[in-house]
Amino acid sequence: MQEKNIKTNHNLILENRKSLTISGITDVDSFDEKAICLYTQLGELTIQGKELHIDSMSVETGDMTVTGDIWAIIYGDRDRHGPLTALGRLFR
């Protein structure tokens, strides 16, 4: 039986700096009202702002919708696709 390597696209749609739709998410590291740290197929992604709220998230499709006052969308290390271990965080 052959394994299928299904890879979805990673897209961001920002509307009026109030609503952000993201696809291609592989994991969410942490989130609060000021920052959401997650991992996409293209590496780390941090969303910063005020009164951030995750409206919807689908584990099956890797889609997420965030609302709030979005100030920054920051890409991090392209090679990191998942959370670090506790030891890895110490040496980061």
Side-chain angles (χ1 to χ4, degrees):
M1 191 174 202
Q2 288 182 322
E3 286 186 39
K4 292 183 180 179
N5 188 7
I6 300 172
K7 205 169 201 182
T8 61
N9 291 327
H10 168 64
N11 296 304
L12 297 173
I13 300 171
L14 179 62
E15 298 176 35
N16 299 321
R17 293 182 66 176
K18 297 288 182 193
S19 176
L20 178 65
T21 304
I22 311 165
S23 64
I25 295 172
T26 57
D27 194 12
V28 177
D29 186 32
S30 64
F31 61 93
D32 61 24
E33 292 181 338
K34 297 179 183 177
I36 300 172
C37 301
L38 49 91
Y39 299 93
T40 71
Q41 293 173 345
L42 298 177
E44 295 177 282
L45 180 66
T46 302
I47 303 155
Q48 295 177 345
K50 180 179 169 186
E51 298 176 5
L52 297 178
H53 183 263
I54 298 174
D55 285 343
S56 65
M57 181 173 168
S58 172
V59 176
E60 291 83 26
T61 63
D63 296 337
M64 176 187 283
T65 303
V66 176
T67 57
D69 192 8
I70 299 168
W71 297 344
I73 301 170
I74 304 164
Y75 279 98
D77 190 354
R78 179 181 282 270
D79 296 330
R80 288 198 35 224
H81 296 285
L84 287 172
T85 63
L87 185 60
R89 290 178 195 227
L90 289 173
F91 294 104
R92 185 172 179 201

